Amino acid sequence: LPMQSIFWGAAEALAPADVARRRARDNAIKRAGLQQMTEHWCRAGLHEVRTARLEVPMHFDSFDDYWRPFLAGATPTSAFAAALNRESEGELERIVRSRIGDVQMDGSFGLLARALAVAGVKH
């Protein structure tokens, strides 16, 4: 499973209204798919626009290795995660932990990091 999908699925199960409000505040470019990204770049005057879906396998030594950045508050997503986990008295963490599969005997596991990429040429 993708790293972010696990978190957002758990957050939505715990607090669907909070997640809906958060998504409503996010700007369109953050939710854009490949076609929309191409359109944005073309409107910005770029040519030869190319897009790709990227998947990178990520290894985590433990659940804390995965979860600690979500609680750091350094990004809007991690600030949301930290607040929701605090407000739910750790329930978000418990749900996320329960959704991670294929945990090895030493506590390590792997997940996919996904991203969309776009490139273009300015003439």
Side-chain angles (χ1 to χ4, degrees):
L1 284 172
M3 304 174 26
Q4 292 288 324
S5 296
I6 291 171
F7 165 72
W8 284 111
E12 194 163 39
L14 181 62
D18 291 339
V19 171
R21 276 192 297 280
R22 163 79 190 210
R23 287 184 176 149
R25 283 194 316 263
D26 282 351
N27 63 37
I29 194 73
K30 285 177 73 176
R31 293 189 314 265
L34 292 177
Q35 180 62 39
Q36 292 149 325
M37 289 174 70
T38 299
E39 292 167 5
H40 285 297
W41 261 245
C42 288
R43 278 196 301 275
L46 296 171
H47 304 275
E48 301 173 41
V49 176
R50 300 174 318 280
T51 59
R53 292 183 190 279
L54 307 176
E55 287 191 348
V56 178
M58 300 285 294
H59 175 81
F60 297 94
D61 291 330
S62 65
F63 179 78
D64 285 340
D65 188 27
Y66 166 77
W67 186 239
R68 195 173 303 117
F70 280 98
L71 302 181
T75 68
T77 298
S78 64
F80 176 78
L84 184 56
N85 195 56
R86 192 172 44 255
E87 292 163 9
S88 69
E89 299 178 348
E91 185 62 18
L92 178 61
E93 179 179 343
R94 288 186 285 280
I95 294 170
V96 169
R97 187 183 296 267
S98 75
R99 291 179 178 216
I100 294 176
D102 297 326
V103 177
Q104 303 303 306
M105 294 295 287
D106 65 358
S108 67
F109 57 92
L111 297 172
L112 287 176
R114 288 186 175 163
L116 302 180
V118 61
V121 177
K122 180 72 174 174
H123 291 285

